[in-house]
Amino acid sequence: MNRPARLVTAALTASAALLLTACGSGGGDGSSSSDKIAGADPGDKASAPPSASASADGIDRPEIKLPDDMKLVFEGQQTGDAVKDAILADNERAVSTVWQAVASGDLKKSGMGFYYTDTALRGVYNYAKDNNARKTSWAGTLRYFDRQVTVFDKTSAALTYCVDESKANVKDLKTKKVKVVETSPDSYVYYNASVKKDKQGVWQIWSLHEDRGSQRCQP
């Protein structure tokens, strides 16, 4: 079995060798029919209470709570630019909602539909649903680093970042056992995300591309 992050795109690519490209590649043509996805309907977004850390901007956000054995480390949180910092913060929340769905098995209250849209939402939803069915999650630490934001205009931007999966391993939710996986160049992944600002002011991911084993992210 491969490292947890590599399981994320299994539902999209039929390969258990990729991480959070669950969004896959594609444009924001709205063809993903988000109204058919649990938790993607606007009425579902407030089904969980807003997190205390997200209340400062006045947006009613879904609560995010990860299990104690699932750690996310995000480097470069403050750039000094308010727009870029907001994009980085929403990216952190977006990633966390996927892992919350995987760990809890609750797709509707995960918050994925709040931070993902279009093909990206379809991707993370299918990934989480597949792992819920397999009773598979992960334990350890994922480190997100070298995060760079390019702002195009008031409602669109691009975000690139690396993920270090070397300290995270596959967890069987039935047995609660964790399988340690050997670290390799593929444990380091480069991501290119396209984001757009919705009417509430949330920077949503609508497309995500991955380069596993990228030289840009190797230690």
Side-chain angles (χ1 to χ4, degrees):
M1 186 177 288
N2 292 309
R3 198 165 282 288
R6 301 178 196 176
L7 297 176
V8 181
T9 47
L12 299 179
T13 63
S15 170
L18 304 175
L19 178 54
L20 195 56
T21 38
C23 302
S25 60
D29 57 5
S31 61
S32 60
S33 299
S34 61
D35 58 328
K36 297 180 181 180
I37 298 177
D41 185 82
D44 293 329
K45 294 177 181 178
S47 58
S51 59
S53 62
S55 60
D57 57 13
I59 298 175
D60 185 23
R61 299 173 182 274
E63 182 181 36
I64 300 173
K65 185 175 182 180
L66 301 180
D68 292 339
D69 62 357
M70 185 180 279
K71 305 291 186 182
L72 303 180
V73 176
F74 297 95
E75 297 182 358
Q77 294 176 309
Q78 301 297 322
T79 67
D81 181 285
V83 174
K84 291 183 178 180
D85 289 350
I87 292 171
L88 290 171
D90 276 343
N91 179 250
E92 293 174 25
R93 296 173 182 125
V95 169
S96 299
T97 63
V98 178
W99 298 133
Q100 177 169 243
V102 170
S104 69
D106 192 334
L107 300 179
K108 188 172 183 179
K109 293 185 178 181
S110 68
M112 291 186 292
F114 197 88
Y115 294 104
Y116 291 90
T117 188
D118 299 334
T119 54
L121 176 56
R122 177 64 62 186
V124 293
Y125 174 81
N126 286 339
Y127 162 68
K129 183 178 180 180
D130 181 70
N131 278 267
N132 289 168
R134 296 168 183 266
K135 301 297 182 183
T136 302
S137 184
W138 61 271
T141 301
L142 293 182
R143 181 172 67 95
Y144 294 76
F145 64 101
D146 193 18
R147 302 195 296 156
Q148 305 292 329
V149 178
T150 301
V151 178
F152 301 128
D153 53 44
K154 293 182 178 180
T155 60
S156 64
L159 169 66
T160 61
Y161 57 93
C162 293
V163 181
D164 174 1
E165 304 173 6
S166 65
K167 293 181 174 61
N169 297 285
V170 174
K171 180 179 180 179
D172 187 318
L173 293 177
K174 288 183 178 179
T175 65
K176 305 301 181 183
K177 292 183 178 179
V178 176
K179 180 179 178 60
V180 178
V181 183
E182 183 179 355
T183 298
S184 74
D186 281 349
S187 300
Y188 301 90
V189 198
Y190 177 76
Y191 292 98
N192 190 331
S194 296
V195 299
K196 59 185 178 182
K197 192 175 184 179
D198 72 2
K199 294 181 180 179
Q200 294 188 85
V202 177
W203 288 93
Q204 296 181 315
I205 298 173
W206 62 269
S207 179
L208 186 63
H209 300 261
E210 174 209 62
D211 181 7
R212 178 163 294 281
S214 172
Q215 289 299 315
R216 308 185 193 191
C217 302
Q218 299 299 317

